Amino acid sequence: MAGNSPEECSHRPVIGDEDNFELESDSEYEAKNTDDGAFNIGADLGLGRAVLSAPNADLPTFPASRTLGISQVNAMMEERPTCLVGIVGLAGAGKTAALVSAYLMLSQGEFEGFSYADSETLRAFEEIARASRTWNRGNPPEQITSHTTLSNDREAGFLHLRLRRDADSSLFDILLPDLPGEWSRALIDRSDGDRLSFLGSASVIWLMVDGRQFVDDSRVANARYRTTLLIERLANLLGDHRPRIIIVPTWQDKQLFPQEEADLLIRYGAEFRFDVATAPIASFSWDDDIEPGYGISKLFADSLAARPSQPEFWPETDCDNSDRRLAAFRRKP
């Protein structure tokens, strides 16, 4: 303000004599100075401290919503009836695309026969479905899903869905592993199945194959050979356990799966005591005559209806003299 001398202004803050300025103690002075000697004003104002207090570990929290590990899967299966599906197949066979298609149809209420009830892995579903929502100037993406990679390459990650059946409102928990194709390739080429040992607890196994390869004269022989070899490897891996195998040919919007190839694979699986069926699907479709998600809901319905094979009620076994001890028992007179 003009005419208001700083020396005489009544609003001027009183700083005091600079020579007499002292802190309360040496320790307080050190606390208010940083390492480089600069005066730390934030120490007085509380800057740099945690804004929120640490959460109480005793309070309930939401699940991580990422894929479930083996220990979590075991806990769920011990708690309630759960259908564990084993999914195998080479890279590009359409394993992840089938899961994405099922998730998108459930989210739109277009899953025939079932509706969404719950999921403990919503974030994992969103991650694998993200690529399907990326469109370029109205054109669909060239690749609906990205190549599957796992943070832990030694342990499978499982997706969870709880479905409500429309017919009777029954609830079904289903666990679906999203595995990279390299795991199946290692099983086929090197019989390396350590990471797939969880298949021993599976109610049903989806053997995913690229249906286009079975109608291509230059590729069908190799596709058929590797599929039969995978069935043989599964038989060795599972020991006496024989879950139902559903061969799932994908890309039905491009070409229908030949029935003679389906019959051949069913007969080959029967040689290893597998109950084999086929369920062609089209996770997405570029054909107006084939609806996107064709066959997916039927695949789920068939999987939920699958039950582990029942043991033979009264098996015939070879007997020797030791087996007759009870029949030869006589009471002493």
Side-chain angles (χ1 to χ4, degrees):
M1 180 180 296
N4 186 11
S5 172
E7 304 297 337
E8 301 175 355
C9 178
S10 59
H11 300 289
R12 180 189 179 197
V14 179
I15 298 177
D17 191 351
E18 193 173 276
D19 296 338
N20 297 329
F21 178 77
E22 294 181 356
L23 292 172
E24 290 79 357
S25 65
D26 293 341
S27 59
E28 185 176 352
Y29 178 82
E30 293 174 357
K32 293 183 177 182
N33 282 272
T34 57
D35 295 339
D36 57 1
F39 192 73
N40 187 3
I41 299 177
D44 278 346
L45 302 178
L47 299 179
R49 297 177 181 173
V51 177
L52 300 175
S53 57
N56 188 345
D58 297 332
L59 294 177
T61 59
F62 288 110
S65 74
R66 304 293 296 271
T67 54
L68 304 178
I70 294 292
S71 58
Q72 296 166 300
V73 166
N74 288 335
M76 180 181 293
M77 296 181 72
E78 292 172 357
E79 180 182 354
R80 55 184 183 268
T82 304
C83 178
L84 174 62
V85 177
I87 304 178
V88 295
L90 296 174
K95 302 183 294 296
T96 304
L99 300 177
V100 171
S101 179
Y103 173 66
L104 294 178
M105 286 194 296
L106 281 168
S107 64
Q108 296 294 321
E110 298 178 354
F111 202 86
E112 183 179 357
F114 296 90
S115 59
Y116 173 84
D118 194 10
S119 173
E120 295 188 9
T121 57
L122 272 183
R123 186 176 174 188
F125 271 113
E126 280 296 315
E127 288 180 351
I128 64 174
R130 187 177 304 160
S132 65
R133 299 192 178 102
T134 304
W135 292 63
N136 184 16
R137 298 180 179 178
N139 298 316
E142 295 182 358
Q143 187 171 358
I144 297 295
T145 59
S146 56
H147 179 71
T148 300
T149 57
L150 298 177
S151 57
N152 182 0
D153 192 46
R154 300 302 305 174
E155 182 178 300
F158 295 84
L159 299 163
H160 167 255
L161 280 175
R162 175 172 290 178
L163 304 179
R164 177 177 288 104
R165 189 163 58 191
D166 297 341
D168 53 7
S169 298
S170 298
L171 296 175
F172 297 90
D173 287 282
I174 185 168
L175 292 166
L176 306 147
D178 184 23
L179 306 177
E182 287 76 8
W183 289 29
S184 295
R185 182 182 299 278
L187 179 62
I188 294 173
D189 295 340
R190 307 191 302 272
S191 294
D192 181 4
D194 292 343
R195 295 174 293 187
L196 295 170
S197 59
F198 70 89
L199 293 177
S201 301
S203 302
V204 61
I205 294 177
W206 296 354
L207 199 164
M208 313 289 292
V209 296
D210 187 340
R212 298 171 298 179
Q213 297 178 357
F214 286 83
V215 294
D216 187 338
D217 293 338
S218 63
R219 306 168 70 186
V220 61
N222 183 61
R224 186 190 304 138
Y225 168 72
R226 296 187 74 79
T227 303
T228 54
L229 191 55
L230 182 53
I231 293 175
E232 184 177 341
R233 295 283 192 260
L234 288 173
N236 295 333
L237 175 68
L238 297 173
D240 294 332
H241 182 49
R242 287 295 180 268
R244 190 184 191 196
I245 290 180
I246 301 180
I247 296 175
V248 186
T250 56
W251 294 94
Q252 289 302 285
D253 56 311
K254 295 293 185 182
Q255 188 68 48
L256 297 180
F257 192 68
Q259 185 60 44
E260 57 271 20
E261 295 293 338
D263 294 339
L264 185 150
L265 296 175
I266 291 173
R267 289 196 301 271
Y268 192 80
E271 295 180 10
F272 296 92
R273 298 186 293 110
F274 281 117
D275 177 15
V276 182
T278 58
I281 64 170
S283 300
F284 302 91
S285 178
W286 280 260
D287 187 336
D288 294 338
D289 295 331
I290 302 292
E291 291 290 332
Y294 166 82
I296 297 286
S297 57
K298 182 178 183 301
L299 174 61
F300 273 72
D302 292 347
S303 302
L304 292 172
R307 292 289 185 272
S309 57
Q310 297 294 325
E312 189 176 358
F313 176 70
W314 198 292
E316 294 184 2
T317 58
D318 297 331
C319 60
D320 52 25
N321 293 332
S322 61
D323 296 330
R324 306 293 297 175
R325 290 176 181 172
L326 181 62
F329 176 76
R330 296 288 188 276
R331 295 183 61 182
K332 294 181 179 179

